[in-house]
Amino acid sequence: MFIFLCIHCDAQSNIIIKKSQDKAVLDTLQYIKTFEVNKKEYIGKPFSYMLGRMIKIRPQTVWIIPNSVDSMVVQKSLFRFYDMNYPIMNETKMMITWETGLLYKTVNFNNRRNKFYFSESEKRFYGSKIVKNILVYR
């Protein structure tokens, strides 16, 4: 638990001291790791099912993982939970392997259009895709 003291000077030069308590900071790795631990619940279901259960934090960006066998198909996507403009050392990532490969042209178009951010159009696009595997790492 964090306690902050804020000192505020108003126009009449009166000093006001405020005490506030910060809520517990979310342990992103521990929270996201629960989805990997419980992956049997999500495998074989649409990605939207898992997204619907992510109530504390959601993906902020999505990235393509190159397929070494066929460059025209995306078999895996990497979801990051921090804004890409503010990189975090040891950030938590979730790699989803899809049941059926996604067309590279479509995924790449979405990534470029939305600058890799996980927007509403990505939620709709990925939401119907079936999850084959989940890997969470730092």
Side-chain angles (χ1 to χ4, degrees):
M1 176 181 357
F2 296 99
I3 297 176
F4 292 95
L5 292 176
C6 299
I7 300 176
H8 172 71
C9 296
D10 64 9
Q12 289 78 27
S13 297
N14 294 330
I15 297 177
I16 302 167
I17 299 177
K18 296 180 182 178
K19 181 180 175 182
S20 66
Q21 294 181 347
D22 189 20
K23 293 182 181 178
V25 177
L26 176 65
D27 182 343
T28 306
L29 178 60
Q30 182 179 350
Y31 179 70
I32 300 301
K33 197 73 168 166
T34 62
F35 292 95
E36 180 185 22
V37 170
N38 299 317
K39 68 172 135 184
K40 286 183 182 180
E41 180 180 348
Y42 306 108
I43 290 176
K45 294 184 180 163
F47 187 57
S48 61
Y49 178 76
M50 184 167 47
L51 279 178
R53 277 136 187 83
M54 288 185 181
I55 55 174
K56 293 184 181 180
I57 189 170
R58 294 212 171 185
Q60 296 296 309
T61 60
V62 59
W63 302 81
I64 296 171
I65 299 197
N67 187 338
S68 60
V69 178
D70 184 355
S71 63
M72 299 308 291
V73 175
V74 174
Q75 200 65 41
K76 299 176 184 178
S77 298
L78 184 67
F79 295 88
R80 295 173 56 194
F81 295 85
Y82 297 97
D83 187 308
M84 72 179 169
N85 292 323
Y86 302 100
I88 307 290
M89 287 184 61
N90 298 323
E91 95 177 84
T92 302
K93 299 172 185 123
M94 176 185 277
M95 184 170 51
I96 300 292
T97 304
W98 305 110
E99 189 72 38
T100 304
L102 314 175
L103 290 176
Y104 174 82
K105 288 175 84 171
T106 305
V107 175
N108 189 45
F109 173 78
N110 280 334
N111 279 355
R112 298 178 123 207
R113 179 183 60 189
N114 296 307
K115 299 179 180 162
F116 298 94
Y117 283 99
F118 192 66
S119 67
E120 286 301 317
S121 64
E122 272 76 23
K123 287 178 191 173
R124 286 189 302 273
F125 175 75
Y126 288 102
S128 63
K129 308 308 179 219
I130 305 299
V131 175
K132 182 177 180 181
N133 195 23
I134 302 167
L135 177 66
V136 174
Y137 63 95
R138 204 173 246 183

